Amino acid sequence: MSRLASGGLIDRTRRLRFTWDGKALEGYHGDTLASALLANDVRLVARSFKYHRPRGILTAGAEEPNALVTLGSGAHADPNTPATTVPLTDGLVATSQNRWPSLRHDVMAVNQFASPIFVAGFYYKTFMWPKKAWEKLYEPLIRRAAGLGALSGLPDPDSYDREHAFCDLLVIGGGPAGLSAALAAGRAGLRVILADDGLEPGGWLLSCRDTIAGQTASNWARIAVAELGIMANVRVLPHTTIFGIYDGCEYAGVQHLGAGQPEPGQPRQRLWKIIASRALLATGAMERPIIFGGNDRPGVMMASAASSYVNHFAVAPGRRAVVFTATDSGWQTARDLIGAGVEVAAVVDPRGGGVPVDMAGIRRVRGLVRDVRGSAVRGADIATPDGKVERIDCDLVAMSGGWNPAIGLAAHLGQKPVWSEAIQSFLPGALPPGLAAIGAASGQFALGAILAQAHGAAAALAETLGAGGHAGEPSVAEDEACGVAPCWHVAGARTKAFVDFQHDVTDADVALAAREGYVSVEHMKRYTTLGMATDQGRTGQLNGHALLAAATGKTVAEAGTIRARPPAQPVAIGVLAGHHRDEAFRPARLAPSHGWATALGASFTDAGQWKRAQWYAQPHESDWLETVNREVLATRNAVGFCDVSTLGKIDVLGPDAGALLDRLYINTFSTLAVGKARYGVMLREDGMVMDDGTTTRFAEDNFFLTTTTANAARVLQHIDFARSVLWPDLDVQATSTTEHWATFSVAGPQSRALLADLLPEIDLSNAALPYMGARRFRWNGISARIYRLSFSGELAYEISVPADHGPALAQALHEAGATPYGTEALGVMRIEKGHPAGNELNGQTTAADLGFGRMMAKKKDFIGKVMAQRPGLTDPARPALVGLKPVDRAQRIRAGAHLLPVGAKPVAANDQGHVTSACFSPTLGHAIALGLLAHGPSRHGEQVVVHDPVRGADVLAEVCDPVFVDPEGVRLRG
Amino acid sequence: MGDGLEISEVTGLGLVAVMARKGVGAEAIGQRLGLAPGLAAPATPHWVGDGALALIGTGPGSWLARSEAPTAEWAETVIERLAGLASATDVSASYRVFRLSGGDAARLLQRGAFVDLATPAFAPGSVAVTVIAHIGVIIRQIDETSFDVSVFRSLGESFHHWLTTAAATL
């Protein structure tokens, strides 16, 4: 065990059991999976992406490139999770990934011996031919060999939700800068949100041995969090990663709930959308590695991570350490290790200088670690300026090449980072609106200065935003030394030296990229894959840019760096979907009779968001066609009814309502008599048909317009655009009443008799309510309407009552003896009558194509009129609406099939149109169809071939009038 | 579900969509409908009135007139009274109205609505026409802890599903 006897922030009274690759281990509450593994002397935790090299734990934070593990099992398996971010929980199951058969004996590790051929660009150069083999052979093979963890392939059993928040100030990061700023802003009275991605806010304060205001830094952090917790104007979001900045001061974050294990019934993660007037980027900095031979071996660790494991988690990451540092903070790690009883064999620093007085007796070597020895670290070869190489035995190399401010978010709206010679790294340049950087993210690394700077920034913001309170005084701490010298790469390494650990990119790959002309950082990234994958190269990317700069004779500032894009951390698709999965994938609209129809055993179909009853099968019926035929025949021979409430309904009101409708429709409505309905067609600006429906006039200034189900919202939008933008001079208003009315079509020769019984108060005679007439009346004391309209071609009425009375009306119609029919029977009857519907109003047909050419008024203007006169739209050869029936009446015609002249070769050049709608007509006893056919209206009686290469053989069909049933309209006027 | 939340449905409401005719102001409409003297129809996303008659601002020049205990003729009376001033339509059955009351009501709504529902941005008397779970809603704050959320009737079940799912995680 490497657990220290005392110290750390873990709770030693709470032992937790977990398994690693099936082996039972123990840790404490407050551990991460990474610290618990180290405490159990587990050093090998992963195999690398390409070479399958053994890897250990490099960092103690979210930037971890190596220690990716799969959490949980079965459907709960969550791959590619950095062990450094996983709070240890009792019963946690973690497994290593990208290895076979086991982590210790991974056969794919032979890849590293073939590494000379696996250089950058290898795939691009090697798997070029045969071209066909890429998809079927090469790619699957490569993906199996190189990769990360695998998804379970099972539905995600966890749930996710969403929260929205608004604040004056969002503080991103709860380290020293974030806490200091949040305290100042909170005390001053601003509405503050503090989002911290750690398991507990505090950031570096939980891992260092500094003191603030006379307390240990971790104590100060906990007191600060407690004070923020009781401020009503401050909200602390622990374990929350802000992953993106968007326009309009919008910030997106993911909160991990339940410390790794969601409570029963609770979501696993929550998506936050935050609007913040101002935000402070207090994301700190990440230590960068140094490129030397074997720098990826288990036992090589970031110096700050070593300090973290010692101070925060009370774990010794090794027994004998070499600290390789170009920074003053590396010396602090040496102190931390010594304090924890770890032997520090040497501190290797390329800078000259002596040993600090408090570290007397520690050996300082001016030089560089050139290579580490061993599969896991057993020793380090130290190169000194005099050209000598000394081997020092050790099992831990703690490295510190400098600190990179964590400024990825600052580039999310396209801003470019700028080079700072002082800190040898990039800082935010211009920032997204409302955002400012503080603390280490702004290049300020000294603790005392950070606390003061952050406090000052927040207090100034409070004043700018007019907060009334007093921000108080900043807490005081000493400034530690934070010098750094450039140290990117150690030349002359005998073994592989890694730049990007997660993607196995070495210094040689970067050099190759430069040689092959990839001299921009963005090109080099794509060629070598440096900076890609789950860690996005947080640790090693800048080192790669420095190498490229050196190889191309530029400074790092000239070479530049990439601009990070959202998301800053991998985000589960599940948390973006949130509530919207399975049956809640999108909202469903239920028609007024839905519950009633469900009770009757109806089957439903989707019509846009609507669920519509498709048919009402009876127990003895063997298939849907039998049901639909019964529904059609019952309607044609007796009386049927159908819920048509889903059709769009719009009240168009006002003194100029008639004038507006005249401009919207191809035909005239201002002349429509009160109490009458008229069928109308409207065009888009481009002259194509947009929608159709009936409009009824209830008063001089009151029109009631209907649309197809699919176009309801679009037509209202079209009307609103016309009245608000095109003709604001017109005094006309419009509102949707789709949801107010439950409307049932009651159709069939017995419909009048049935309704006469049901609605004795209305005179339904032809004289009182002729075809296309409409009346308002009261049904059981509630307002209702009746329209003499017919889609089925039968004597028919549409009755509307307020939607909450819809089920009662459906019940009454059913009890009175009407047969309920669904959308399928509705469709059959409209094909039998030759009415165009969605299949024909497909956005590519003109009014003339559909047989409405003569409806287009000549004496008035209307939307689409001019464009409808374009030659291409008036060409008589355009496919136009026809009816089709199979010459052999036993054959069937399918929608989508093409229409060819008899004897013509089935090639596109001979194509004369297609079948738009087809069905079996129980009224006629054979298949019928509607189609669009070139010169169609003049070809009635001709034969064409219905060519269906996908689903069946050709069928010979006769072209006919599209109205198959009652072409004279005797029935509907009956 | 948290202790501080009660969800109920308000039924039997009278609702009339009111849209001002060209050039007619909010004051004239308030006056014609007999709101308290000097009380105009709200010109901003707010509501005024009481149980007998409230006017809910839903957009520029548009309101929902609302009555808790309408007579059978209430909607027609409102429409007639506004003749010449506003176009009005009975939409009493268009909405299902859910009442959320209790300390957690605002918290629950904030999970769904991306508008600031905290004082002072939103307070009793405020109205928001927005979207929750892809469903259009009209949120009306009644008092410190009560809100009415109106959704189109056909979407009521989907909205209720979101409501109960989200409430269970409070």
Side-chain angles (χ1 to χ4, degrees), chain B residues 89-152:
Chain B
T89 296
D90 184 3
V91 290
S92 301
S94 285
Y95 296 92
R96 281 179 71 184
V97 181
F98 296 92
R99 174 148 309 169
L100 278 57
S101 316
D104 284 339
R107 205 151 73 88
L108 175 63
L109 280 180
Q110 193 69 84
R111 291 247 167 111
F114 197 25
V115 291
D116 193 351
L117 294 178
T119 320
F122 211 80
S126 291
V127 171
V129 178
T130 182
V131 170
I132 290 179
H134 301 317
I135 296 167
V137 295
I138 303 171
I139 301 173
R140 185 173 78 96
Q141 185 164 359
I142 299 160
D143 57 37
E144 289 301 329
T145 57
S146 311
F147 299 81
D148 270 1
V149 185
S150 308
V151 301
F152 274 151

Coordinates of all heavy atoms in Angstrom, one line a residue, chain B residues 89-152:
Chain B
T89 N -61.7 36.0 -30.8 CA -62.1 34.6 -31.1 C -62.2 33.8 -29.8 O -61.3 33.9 -29.0 CB -61.0 34.0 -32.1 OG1 -61.0 34.8 -33.3 CG2 -61.3 32.6 -32.3
D90 N -63.2 33.0 -29.7 CA -63.3 32.1 -28.6 C -62.3 31.0 -28.7 O -62.3 30.3 -29.7 CB -64.7 31.6 -28.6 CG -65.0 30.7 -27.4 OD1 -64.1 30.6 -26.5 OD2 -66.1 30.1 -27.3
V91 N -61.4 30.9 -27.8 CA -60.4 29.9 -27.8 C -60.4 29.1 -26.4 O -59.4 28.6 -26.0 CB -59.0 30.4 -28.1 CG1 -58.8 30.9 -29.5 CG2 -58.6 31.5 -27.1
S92 N -61.6 29.1 -25.8 CA -61.7 28.5 -24.5 C -61.2 27.1 -24.4 O -60.6 26.7 -23.4 CB -63.2 28.6 -24.0 OG -63.6 29.9 -24.0
A93 N -61.4 26.3 -25.5 CA -61.0 24.9 -25.4 C -59.6 24.7 -26.0 O -59.2 23.6 -26.1 CB -62.1 24.1 -26.2
S94 N -59.0 25.8 -26.4 CA -57.7 25.6 -27.1 C -56.6 25.2 -26.1 O -55.6 24.6 -26.6 CB -57.2 26.9 -27.8 OG -58.0 27.1 -28.9
Y95 N -56.7 25.5 -24.9 CA -55.6 25.3 -23.9 C -56.0 24.3 -22.8 O -57.1 24.2 -22.4 CB -55.2 26.6 -23.3 CG -54.7 27.6 -24.3 CD1 -55.5 28.5 -24.9 CD2 -53.3 27.6 -24.6 CE1 -55.0 29.4 -25.9 CE2 -52.8 28.5 -25.6 CZ -53.7 29.4 -26.2 OH -53.2 30.3 -27.1
R96 N -55.0 23.6 -22.3 CA -55.0 23.0 -21.0 C -54.2 23.9 -20.1 O -53.1 24.3 -20.5 CB -54.6 21.6 -21.0 CG -55.6 20.6 -21.6 CD -55.1 19.2 -21.6 NE -55.0 18.6 -20.3 CZ -54.5 17.4 -20.0 NH1 -54.1 16.6 -21.1 NH2 -54.4 16.9 -18.8
V97 N -54.7 24.2 -18.9 CA -54.0 25.1 -18.1 C -53.6 24.4 -16.8 O -54.5 23.8 -16.1 CB -54.9 26.3 -17.7 CG1 -54.1 27.3 -16.8 CG2 -55.3 27.0 -19.0
F98 N -52.3 24.3 -16.5 CA -51.8 23.6 -15.3 C -51.4 24.7 -14.3 O -50.7 25.7 -14.7 CB -50.6 22.8 -15.7 CG -50.9 21.6 -16.6 CD1 -50.8 21.8 -18.0 CD2 -51.4 20.4 -16.1 CE1 -51.1 20.8 -18.9 CE2 -51.7 19.4 -17.0 CZ -51.6 19.5 -18.4
R99 N -51.8 24.5 -13.1 CA -51.4 25.4 -12.0 C -50.3 24.8 -11.2 O -50.5 23.6 -10.7 CB -52.6 25.8 -11.1 CG -52.1 26.6 -10.0 CD -53.1 27.7 -9.5 NE -53.6 28.5 -10.6 CZ -54.6 29.3 -10.4 NH1 -55.2 29.4 -9.2 NH2 -55.1 30.0 -11.4
L100 N -49.2 25.5 -11.1 CA -48.1 25.0 -10.3 C -48.0 25.9 -9.1 O -47.8 27.1 -9.2 CB -46.8 25.0 -11.1 CG -46.4 23.9 -12.0 CD1 -47.5 23.7 -13.1 CD2 -45.1 24.1 -12.7
S101 N -48.1 25.3 -7.9 CA -48.0 26.2 -6.7 C -47.0 25.6 -5.7 O -46.8 24.4 -5.7 CB -49.4 26.2 -6.0 OG -50.4 26.4 -6.9
G102 N -46.4 26.5 -4.9 CA -45.5 26.0 -3.9 C -44.1 26.5 -4.1 O -43.8 27.1 -5.2
G103 N -43.3 26.3 -3.1 CA -41.9 26.9 -3.1 C -41.1 26.4 -4.3 O -40.1 27.0 -4.7
D104 N -41.4 25.2 -4.8 CA -40.6 24.6 -5.9 C -41.1 24.9 -7.3 O -40.5 24.5 -8.3 CB -40.5 23.1 -5.7 CG -39.5 22.7 -4.6 OD1 -38.7 23.5 -4.3 OD2 -39.6 21.6 -4.1
A105 N -42.2 25.6 -7.4 CA -42.9 25.8 -8.7 C -42.0 26.5 -9.6 O -41.8 26.1 -10.8 CB -44.2 26.6 -8.5
A106 N -41.3 27.6 -9.2 CA -40.5 28.4 -10.1 C -39.3 27.6 -10.5 O -38.8 27.6 -11.6 CB -40.0 29.7 -9.4
R107 N -38.7 26.8 -9.5 CA -37.6 25.9 -9.8 C -37.9 24.9 -10.9 O -37.1 24.7 -11.8 CB -37.2 25.2 -8.5 CG -35.7 24.8 -8.4 CD -35.3 24.8 -7.0 NE -35.8 23.6 -6.3 CZ -35.2 22.4 -6.3 NH1 -34.1 22.2 -6.9 NH2 -35.7 21.4 -5.6
L108 N -39.1 24.3 -10.8 CA -39.5 23.4 -11.8 C -39.6 24.0 -13.2 O -39.1 23.5 -14.2 CB -40.8 22.7 -11.4 CG -41.4 21.7 -12.4 CD1 -40.5 20.6 -12.6 CD2 -42.8 21.3 -12.0
L109 N -40.3 25.2 -13.2 CA -40.5 25.8 -14.5 C -39.2 26.3 -15.1 O -39.0 26.2 -16.3 CB -41.4 27.1 -14.3 CG -42.9 26.7 -14.2 CD1 -43.7 28.0 -14.0 CD2 -43.4 26.0 -15.5
Q110 N -38.3 26.7 -14.2 CA -37.0 27.1 -14.7 C -36.2 26.0 -15.4 O -35.4 26.2 -16.3 CB -36.1 27.7 -13.6 CG -34.9 28.5 -14.1 CD -35.3 29.8 -14.8 OE1 -35.6 30.8 -14.2 NE2 -35.4 29.8 -16.1
R111 N -36.5 24.8 -15.0 CA -35.8 23.6 -15.6 C -36.3 23.5 -17.1 O -35.6 23.0 -17.9 CB -36.3 22.3 -14.9 CG -35.6 22.2 -13.5 CD -34.6 21.1 -13.5 NE -33.9 21.2 -12.3 CZ -33.9 20.3 -11.3 NH1 -34.8 19.3 -11.3 NH2 -33.2 20.5 -10.2
G112 N -37.5 24.0 -17.3 CA -38.1 23.9 -18.7 C -37.9 25.1 -19.5 O -37.7 25.0 -20.7
A113 N -38.1 26.3 -18.9 CA -38.2 27.5 -19.7 C -36.9 28.3 -19.6 O -36.3 28.5 -18.6 CB -39.3 28.4 -19.1
F114 N -36.4 28.7 -20.8 CA -35.1 29.4 -20.9 C -35.4 30.9 -20.9 O -35.0 31.7 -21.7 CB -34.4 29.0 -22.2 CG -32.9 29.4 -22.2 CD1 -32.2 29.6 -21.0 CD2 -32.3 29.6 -23.4 CE1 -30.9 29.9 -21.0 CE2 -30.9 29.9 -23.4 CZ -30.2 30.1 -22.2
V115 N -36.3 31.4 -19.9 CA -36.4 32.8 -19.6 C -36.2 32.9 -18.1 O -36.5 32.0 -17.4 CB -37.8 33.3 -20.1 CG1 -38.0 33.3 -21.6 CG2 -38.9 32.5 -19.4
D116 N -35.8 34.1 -17.7 CA -35.4 34.3 -16.3 C -36.7 34.4 -15.5 O -37.5 35.4 -15.7 CB -34.6 35.6 -16.2 CG -34.0 35.8 -14.9 OD1 -34.3 35.0 -14.0 OD2 -33.2 36.7 -14.7
L117 N -37.0 33.5 -14.6 CA -38.2 33.5 -13.9 C -38.0 34.0 -12.5 O -38.9 33.8 -11.6 CB -38.8 32.0 -13.8 CG -39.2 31.5 -15.2 CD1 -39.7 30.0 -15.0 CD2 -40.3 32.3 -15.8
A118 N -36.9 34.6 -12.2 CA -36.6 35.1 -10.8 C -36.9 36.5 -10.7 O -36.8 37.3 -11.7 CB -35.2 34.8 -10.4
T119 N -37.4 37.0 -9.5 CA -37.5 38.4 -9.3 C -36.2 39.1 -9.4 O -35.2 38.5 -9.0 CB -38.1 38.6 -7.8 OG1 -39.0 37.5 -7.6 CG2 -38.7 39.9 -7.6
P120 N -36.0 40.2 -9.9 CA -37.1 41.1 -10.4 C -37.5 40.9 -11.9 O -38.4 41.5 -12.4 CB -36.5 42.5 -10.2 CG -35.1 42.3 -10.5 CD -34.7 40.9 -10.0
A121 N -36.7 40.0 -12.6 CA -37.0 39.8 -14.0 C -38.5 39.3 -14.2 O -39.1 39.7 -15.2 CB -36.0 38.9 -14.6
F122 N -38.9 38.5 -13.3 CA -40.2 37.9 -13.4 C -40.9 38.0 -12.0 O -40.2 37.7 -11.0 CB -40.1 36.5 -13.8 CG -41.3 35.9 -14.7 CD1 -41.3 36.2 -16.0 CD2 -42.2 35.2 -14.1 CE1 -42.4 35.7 -16.8 CE2 -43.3 34.7 -14.8 CZ -43.4 35.0 -16.2
A123 N -42.1 38.4 -11.9 CA -42.8 38.6 -10.6 C -44.3 38.4 -10.8 O -44.7 38.2 -11.9 CB -42.5 40.0 -10.2
P124 N -45.0 38.3 -9.7 CA -46.5 38.3 -9.9 C -46.9 39.3 -10.9 O -46.5 40.5 -10.8 CB -47.0 38.5 -8.5 CG -45.9 38.0 -7.6 CD -44.6 38.3 -8.3
G125 N -47.7 38.9 -11.8 CA -48.2 39.9 -12.9 C -47.4 39.7 -14.2 O -47.8 40.2 -15.2
S126 N -46.3 38.9 -14.1 CA -45.5 38.7 -15.3 C -46.1 37.6 -16.2 O -46.7 36.7 -15.7 CB -44.1 38.4 -15.0 OG -43.4 39.5 -14.4
V127 N -45.8 37.7 -17.5 CA -46.2 36.7 -18.5 C -45.0 36.3 -19.4 O -44.2 37.2 -19.7 CB -47.4 37.2 -19.3 CG1 -47.7 36.2 -20.5 CG2 -48.6 37.4 -18.5
A128 N -44.9 35.1 -19.7 CA -43.9 34.7 -20.7 C -44.5 33.8 -21.7 O -45.2 32.8 -21.4 CB -42.7 34.0 -20.1
V129 N -44.3 34.1 -23.0 CA -44.8 33.2 -24.1 C -43.5 32.5 -24.6 O -42.7 33.2 -25.2 CB -45.5 34.0 -25.2 CG1 -45.9 33.0 -26.3 CG2 -46.7 34.7 -24.6
T130 N -43.3 31.3 -24.3 CA -42.1 30.6 -24.6 C -42.3 29.2 -24.8 O -43.4 28.7 -25.2 CB -41.1 30.9 -23.4 OG1 -39.8 30.3 -23.7 CG2 -41.5 30.3 -22.1
V131 N -41.2 28.4 -24.7 CA -41.2 27.0 -25.0 C -40.7 26.2 -23.9 O -39.7 26.5 -23.3 CB -40.4 26.7 -26.3 CG1 -40.2 25.3 -26.5 CG2 -41.0 27.4 -27.5
I132 N -41.4 25.1 -23.6 CA -40.8 24.1 -22.6 C -40.9 22.7 -23.3 O -42.0 22.3 -23.8 CB -41.7 24.1 -21.3 CG1 -41.4 25.4 -20.5 CG2 -41.3 22.9 -20.4 CD1 -42.2 25.5 -19.2
A133 N -39.8 22.0 -23.3 CA -39.7 20.7 -23.9 C -40.3 20.7 -25.3 O -41.1 19.8 -25.6 CB -40.4 19.7 -23.0
H134 N -40.0 21.7 -26.1 CA -40.4 21.8 -27.5 C -41.9 22.1 -27.6 O -42.5 21.9 -28.6 CB -40.1 20.6 -28.3 CG -38.6 20.2 -28.4 ND1 -37.7 21.2 -28.6 CD2 -38.0 19.1 -28.3 CE1 -36.5 20.6 -28.6 NE2 -36.6 19.3 -28.4
I135 N -42.6 22.5 -26.5 CA -44.0 22.7 -26.5 C -44.2 24.2 -26.1 O -43.7 24.7 -25.2 CB -44.7 21.8 -25.4 CG1 -44.5 20.4 -25.8 CG2 -46.2 22.2 -25.3 CD1 -44.9 19.4 -24.7
G136 N -45.0 24.9 -27.0 CA -45.3 26.3 -26.7 C -46.1 26.4 -25.4 O -47.0 25.7 -25.2
V137 N -45.7 27.4 -24.6 CA -46.4 27.6 -23.3 C -46.6 29.1 -23.1 O -45.9 29.9 -23.6 CB -45.6 27.1 -22.1 CG1 -45.5 25.6 -22.2 CG2 -44.2 27.7 -22.0
I138 N -47.7 29.4 -22.3 CA -47.8 30.8 -21.8 C -47.7 30.6 -20.3 O -48.5 29.9 -19.7 CB -49.2 31.3 -22.2 CG1 -49.4 31.3 -23.7 CG2 -49.4 32.8 -21.6 CD1 -50.8 31.7 -24.2
I139 N -46.7 31.2 -19.7 CA -46.5 31.2 -18.3 C -47.0 32.5 -17.7 O -46.7 33.6 -18.2 CB -45.0 31.0 -17.9 CG1 -44.5 29.7 -18.5 CG2 -44.8 31.0 -16.4 CD1 -43.0 29.6 -18.4
R140 N -47.8 32.4 -16.6 CA -48.4 33.5 -16.0 C -48.2 33.4 -14.5 O -48.6 32.4 -13.9 CB -49.9 33.5 -16.3 CG -50.7 34.7 -15.8 CD -52.1 34.6 -16.3 NE -52.9 33.7 -15.5 CZ -53.7 34.0 -14.5 NH1 -53.8 35.3 -14.2 NH2 -54.4 33.1 -13.8
Q141 N -47.4 34.4 -14.0 CA -47.2 34.3 -12.5 C -48.3 34.9 -11.8 O -48.7 36.1 -12.0 CB -45.8 34.9 -12.1 CG -45.6 34.7 -10.6 CD -44.1 35.0 -10.2 OE1 -43.3 35.3 -11.1 NE2 -43.8 34.8 -8.9
I142 N -48.9 34.2 -10.8 CA -50.1 34.6 -10.1 C -49.7 35.3 -8.8 O -50.1 36.5 -8.6 CB -51.0 33.5 -9.8 CG1 -51.5 32.8 -11.2 CG2 -52.3 33.9 -9.0 CD1 -52.0 31.4 -11.1
D143 N -49.0 34.6 -8.0 CA -48.4 35.3 -6.8 C -47.0 34.8 -6.6 O -46.4 34.1 -7.5 CB -49.3 35.0 -5.6 CG -49.5 33.5 -5.3 OD1 -48.6 32.7 -5.6 OD2 -50.6 33.1 -5.0
E144 N -46.5 35.0 -5.4 CA -45.0 34.7 -5.2 C -44.7 33.2 -5.6 O -43.6 32.9 -6.1 CB -44.7 34.9 -3.7 CG -44.6 36.4 -3.3 CD -43.6 37.2 -4.1 OE1 -42.6 36.6 -4.5 OE2 -43.8 38.4 -4.4
T145 N -45.7 32.3 -5.3 CA -45.3 30.9 -5.5 C -46.3 30.1 -6.4 O -46.3 28.9 -6.5 CB -45.3 30.2 -4.1 OG1 -46.6 30.3 -3.5 CG2 -44.3 30.7 -3.2
S146 N -47.1 30.9 -7.2 CA -48.1 30.2 -8.1 C -47.9 30.7 -9.5 O -47.8 31.9 -9.8 CB -49.5 30.4 -7.6 OG -49.6 30.1 -6.3
F147 N -48.0 29.7 -10.4 CA -47.9 30.0 -11.8 C -49.0 29.2 -12.6 O -49.3 28.0 -12.2 CB -46.6 29.5 -12.4 CG -45.4 30.2 -11.8 CD1 -44.9 29.8 -10.6 CD2 -44.8 31.3 -12.4 CE1 -43.8 30.4 -10.0 CE2 -43.7 31.9 -11.9 CZ -43.2 31.5 -10.6
D148 N -49.6 29.8 -13.6 CA -50.4 29.0 -14.6 C -49.6 28.8 -15.8 O -49.0 29.7 -16.3 CB -51.7 29.8 -14.9 CG -52.8 29.5 -14.0 OD1 -52.6 28.7 -13.0 OD2 -53.9 30.1 -14.2
V149 N -49.6 27.6 -16.3 CA -48.9 27.3 -17.6 C -50.0 26.8 -18.6 O -50.6 25.8 -18.3 CB -47.8 26.2 -17.4 CG1 -47.1 26.0 -18.7 CG2 -46.9 26.6 -16.3
S150 N -50.2 27.5 -19.6 CA -51.2 27.1 -20.6 C -50.5 26.5 -21.8 O -49.5 27.1 -22.3 CB -52.0 28.3 -21.1 OG -52.5 29.0 -20.0
V151 N -50.9 25.3 -22.2 CA -50.4 24.7 -23.4 C -51.5 24.3 -24.4 O -52.7 24.1 -23.9 CB -49.6 23.4 -23.1 CG1 -48.4 23.7 -22.2 CG2 -50.5 22.3 -22.5
F152 N -51.3 24.2 -25.6 CA -52.3 23.8 -26.6 C -52.9 22.4 -26.1 O -52.1 21.5 -25.7 CB -51.8 23.7 -28.0 CG -51.8 25.0 -28.7 CD1 -50.9 25.3 -29.7 CD2 -52.8 25.9 -28.5 CE1 -51.0 26.5 -30.4 CE2 -52.9 27.1 -29.2 CZ -51.9 27.4 -30.2

